[in-house]
Amino acid sequence: MMADTLLMLLLANFAAIGLLPILFFRRDGTLNLRWMLTAAPFFAVPLLLVLGRLGALQPLATTGGLLRTLPLVAVLLAAGSIALLAATVATHRVPLALWHQDNDAPVELVTWGPYAHMRHPFYTSFLLALVAAALALPHATTFASLAYAFVALTLTARREERRLACSELSDDYLRYVRTTGRFFPLIGLRPTR
């Protein structure tokens, strides 16, 4: 059974993600259908975690040693998610538009901070939170939510990348893409400056 402290850490992680549209992103966007579909796992998983803590969702059977290790790994991933989220917010000089806005033109190319190593550190922090939740509550619903979110964020990232590749920033962006991974750093390559 999931410990209360782990549940609180995970819920704080999802609360930080959920507060981004209110505290960080520009207010000129709308929470359109694409945004809601992408955000769905980030609303569903906290509910699943609470249901798991209450005993309404039973974790998948795992061996004793592995079962004891999963919460520790979940804590590390959730803490990493929160740290990456904070570092990414701190990197930006100006707030971004809400995700999935058709009229959002890129203003600047950010290649410092977490962006020196990956193109979508916000999305990486979101995925880390979902992996932590799936390890804390290894259940078909948390794994399905993680898979759904990975596909949704990959599609969103591709859409954003196409937009940047066709923008006034395209030359710089295409050079940047060659040295950074989408969600995780490329091992063995030096980040752009």
Side-chain angles (χ1 to χ4, degrees), residues 124-187:
T124 301
S125 70
F126 302 167
L127 292 169
L128 288 173
L130 289 167
V131 172
L135 294 178
L137 178 65
H139 190 271
T141 57
T142 56
F143 289 117
S145 295
L146 171 61
Y148 174 89
F150 182 78
V151 170
L153 291 173
T154 298
L155 293 173
T156 300
R158 283 183 186 162
R159 186 171 177 268
E160 293 170 0
E161 291 169 354
R162 279 192 304 271
R163 183 173 283 170
L164 276 162
C166 296
S167 74
E168 295 175 4
L169 306 169
S170 65
D171 291 341
D172 291 336
Y173 181 70
L174 294 174
R175 275 191 298 278
Y176 169 68
V177 165
R178 287 192 293 270
T179 59
T180 55
R182 177 175 282 150
F183 297 131
F184 301 99
L186 294 177
I187 306 303

Side-chain angles (χ1 to χ4, degrees), residues 9-20:
L9 176 63
L10 291 167
L11 292 178
N13 194 176
F14 284 103
I17 292 168
L19 288 172
L20 281 175

